[in-house]
Amino acid sequence: MILNSPDSAEKFKEQGNEQFKLSNFQKAIEFYTAGIEIGTGNQRLLCLSNRAFAHIKMENYGLAINDADEILKEDPRFIKAYYRKGSAYLLLSKFDDARKEFKKADSLTQGKDEDIQAKLKQIKQAIFEREFAKSIERPDEASEPIDIKDICVEQGYDGPRIDNDISEVTPEWCEKLMNHFKDQKKLHKKYAVMILQKVGEIMKSQQNVVEYDVPKDLEFTVCGDTHGQYFDLLNIFKINGNPSIKRPYLFNGDFVDRGSWSVEVIMTLFAWKVCNPDIMHLTRGNHESRNMNKLYGFEGEVKHKYDDKVYELFQTVFTYLPLAYTLSKQVMVVHGGLFSNDGVTINELQKLNRFRDIPEGGPMADMLWSDPIKQNGRHPSKRGISISFGPDIAHKFLNENGLSLLVRSHEMKDQGYEVEADGRVITIFSAPNYCDQMKNKGAFIIFKGGEMKPKFVQFDAVEHPKLPPMAYARNYGMFM
């Protein structure tokens, strides 16, 4: 029996804090919620503040903002509420909103809190960079192409080479590249650019929603987020085999950010795509975007390993990534999920202009940002972008488009996957022990052509060199 008492609320808060220290953020949220339900006064507000922080850790930025707003209704001078809200806005790349919240916190502390001052300085720099980029942007002109003839390969370079043309990228070449990366060596810029230029050419010619028929009896593997966890990507190939005509793969977005081997992950996948477009299939995730890359490490990593021009080439190529796949007219694979409105058809999605950065709203944003929820109907997103959609919304969309199953990624799952909506919505996540702290399993799905029934394969994280997540992410990681 739970007693409605200050002592009980304090106990739940302490239990939540213990789970938080163990990186069991979902369990911490449950304890904080129990404290909120029975607590009063300042204890309740502290539980709300702590839950907001746990939501930020879980990337539920919209829920963190909601908790902060609830605190501020009761106590407009609660400094940490502004701090939590500002942090959530920053991690959504909403720099102006973030600055507004941190300025309120700064006013309440009379400018004496060094941490808040540091945050404001970082946000000011981010806004300056954004406005400067806008001022020099030339929307009618493509970014200056990189001429590979101008790039010299040093004599001491011992990695894979492309001496004549891109046809030299064979399965053996890709395997050599993977081993080169495993030894923590870099693919030369010249060859990286050649891969990027070719894969961009391939993907730009594809539909927004690629219609792919899985040949009968062939095993087709669908993987979720890999987030720069290169050594776990190698483990997927070790368990399941390298991409081949008999074993094609689809990686469902979020190849980069968070993990500190994002370049290695994305270049490996792109190399296999160039090797044979029919054995490697790729969709865009919400992290294949400029705003996310600035915050979560990929921008810093590319500029550290290569330079600004290569980073800009990556950004161009990301806009060419297809938004979704349909498999044998039965299964739709998309990174995020479904839509803010009824009546969306595959034919309508084919007409979207995907060759752009990800918008804040509309069907393209929904495809890359939305999440399923247990309750029927549409609900505000826990992330602060797009929506959460219920089982009824999923059933309606699938039935209207003649599909049986929706496979999406975008969310960490303890077991690596989750089945919802009476078996018609699957979340697949392929980054085990996400960010070196979540202790989750990774998983992938195998579909056999003709049957198209999902078979799940789970796996654990493997050891990797001692480089922390977001090692190239400037100082934004401190908001986490």
Side-chain angles (χ1 to χ4, degrees):
M1 180 178 176
I2 297 175
L3 298 177
N4 190 350
S5 70
D7 288 344
S8 299
E10 180 65 23
K11 185 175 181 181
F12 281 128
K13 180 168 75 70
E14 290 174 358
Q15 289 174 307
N17 291 346
E18 287 301 314
Q19 293 299 318
F20 191 100
K21 291 174 185 175
L22 296 171
S23 299
N24 296 330
F25 302 119
Q26 185 56 50
K27 193 68 179 175
I29 286 169
E30 292 170 11
F31 281 119
Y32 294 141
T33 300
I36 291 163
E37 289 173 352
I38 66 171
T40 58
N42 197 56
Q43 279 187 324
R44 180 173 179 275
L45 301 186
L46 287 170
C47 286
L48 277 165
S49 177
N50 289 5
R51 187 173 73 175
F53 194 15
H55 278 313
I56 288 172
K57 287 288 190 178
M58 293 289 291
E59 302 178 20
N60 300 333
Y61 306 128
L63 294 181
I65 291 167
N66 291 344
D67 281 348
D69 283 338
E70 190 169 344
I71 294 169
L72 294 170
K73 285 179 186 176
E74 296 187 30
D75 183 359
R77 297 184 64 80
F78 197 102
I79 296 167
K80 273 195 175 179
Y82 295 111
Y83 192 100
R84 303 285 188 241
K85 197 173 176 182
S87 298
Y89 278 132
L90 177 94
L91 293 165
L92 288 168
S93 299
K94 296 184 177 182
F95 301 126
D96 298 295
D97 291 327
R99 179 169 59 179
K100 186 190 306 179
E101 300 306 323
F102 279 109
K103 278 189 172 182
K104 291 174 183 176
D106 189 51
S107 176
L108 288 171
T109 58
Q110 298 179 328
K112 296 178 180 178
D113 188 301
E114 292 182 3
D115 190 30
I116 293 171
Q117 288 283 310
K119 302 297 187 289
L120 283 167
K121 186 176 180 181
Q122 289 174 324
I123 294 167
K124 181 179 179 181
Q125 178 64 23
I127 291 173
F128 171 80
E129 290 175 4
R130 180 192 67 192
E131 296 306 313
F132 179 74
K134 284 182 183 178
S135 72
I136 62 172
E137 187 177 20
R138 294 176 294 178
D140 297 329
E141 298 182 32
S143 58
E144 185 179 344
I146 303 174
D147 190 344
I148 59 169
K149 294 176 183 176
D150 295 336
I151 307 173
C152 297
V153 180
E154 299 79 10
Q155 197 169 12
Y157 174 71
D158 64 352
R161 293 172 176 262
I162 304 171
D163 292 321
N164 295 306
D165 61 61
I166 205 72
S167 64
E168 295 172 36
V169 179
T170 62
E172 294 75 23
W173 193 97
C174 293
E175 289 167 9
K176 184 175 181 180
L177 175 68
M178 293 194 299
N179 288 326
H180 191 68
F181 284 154
K182 186 177 180 182
D183 292 337
Q184 300 184 71
K185 297 179 179 180
K186 187 172 70 174
L187 177 65
H188 196 277
K189 176 183 172 180
K190 179 174 183 176
Y191 309 130
V193 169
M194 292 176 74
I195 294 285
L196 286 167
Q197 290 175 340
K198 183 60 179 179
V199 81
E201 177 186 318
I202 293 168
M203 295 190 303
K204 191 176 183 180
S205 68
Q206 294 182 287
Q207 294 176 294
N208 289 342
V209 181
V210 178
E211 298 169 345
Y212 181 85
D213 288 322
V214 181
K216 189 176 180 181
D217 296 329
L218 183 143
E219 291 190 337
F220 187 91
T221 303
V222 178
C223 297
D225 303 36
T226 45
H227 273 302
Q229 296 186 196
Y230 179 69
F231 294 87
D232 293 308
L233 174 66
L234 292 182
N235 192 39
I236 291 173
F237 292 150
K238 181 179 178 181
I239 294 167
N240 197 50
N242 285 338
S244 67
I245 291 295
K246 294 183 178 180
R247 191 170 297 278
Y249 282 81
L250 192 164
F251 282 81
N252 193 25
D254 279 15
F255 323 112
V256 302
D257 284 337
R258 300 287 191 182
S260 294
W261 291 275
S262 292
V263 166
E264 288 76 6
V265 168
I266 191 66
M267 289 308 303
T268 296
L269 299 180
F270 280 172
W272 282 109
K273 183 73 175 174
V274 167
C275 172
N276 185 338
D278 290 330
I279 66 176
M280 178 59 69
H281 304 271
L282 304 167
T283 59
R284 191 174 184 179
N286 63 302
H287 276 267
E288 278 69 59
S289 71
R290 190 179 298 275
N291 285 342
M292 293 292 104
N293 297 161
K294 179 174 287 292
L295 291 175
Y296 294 98
F298 187 62
E299 177 184 318
E301 182 180 343
V302 176
K303 291 181 179 181
H304 175 80
K305 294 176 179 178
Y306 294 109
D307 56 33
D308 289 13
K309 284 191 173 183
V310 173
Y311 176 70
E312 289 302 320
L313 181 55
F314 268 113
Q315 292 303 317
T316 299
V317 172
F318 285 166
T319 69
Y320 299 154
L321 283 159
L323 301 178
Y325 267 68
T326 59
L327 306 179
S328 300
K329 298 180 174 62
Q330 297 179 58
V331 181
M332 181 172 175
V333 183
V334 64
H335 181 73
L338 299 181
F339 304 95
S340 302
N341 299 302
D342 286 332
V344 177
T345 66
I346 301 296
N347 286 339
E348 288 174 0
L349 298 178
Q350 301 290 25
K351 299 173 185 176
L352 295 174
N353 173 23
R354 78 173 190 268
F355 304 124
R356 54 177 297 185
D357 207 354
I358 301 167
E360 291 189 6
M364 183 172 166
D366 290 336
M367 295 174 81
L368 275 56
W369 275 98
S370 67
D371 295 291
I373 196 171
K374 301 292 190 280
Q375 299 91 337
N376 280 335
R378 292 182 174 88
H379 302 268
S381 169
K382 63 186 181 182
R383 299 176 188 269
I385 296 178
S386 187
I387 60 156
S388 297
F389 60 92
D392 58 329
I393 303 299
H395 281 269
K396 191 171 190 294
F397 173 83
L398 292 169
N399 292 341
E400 288 178 350
N401 285 278
L403 299 164
S404 302
L405 179 66
L406 174 70
V407 174
R408 43 89 62 181
S409 302
H410 194 41
E411 286 184 284
M412 188 277 296
K413 298 296 179 182
D414 286 340
Q415 296 304 311
Y417 72 95
E418 185 175 4
V419 182
E420 302 176 71
D422 304 316
R424 298 191 72 182
V425 175
I426 294 173
T427 297
I428 192 74
F429 193 82
S430 304
N433 195 27
Y434 182 42
C435 294
D436 285 353
Q437 65 177 6
M438 301 303 284
K439 304 180 179 65
N440 61 292
K441 288 183 178 294
F444 53 83
I445 306 172
I446 297 175
F447 288 102
K448 190 173 183 180
E451 300 173 1
M452 296 306 291
K453 303 296 183 187
K455 173 188 172 184
F456 300 99
V457 178
Q458 296 171 292
F459 57 96
D460 293 313
V462 296
E463 290 292 320
H464 62 70
K466 294 187 181 300
L467 186 67
M470 295 176 67
Y472 303 96
R474 295 205 230 176
N475 295 318
Y476 292 124
M478 69 176 65
F479 287 85
M480 300 299 290

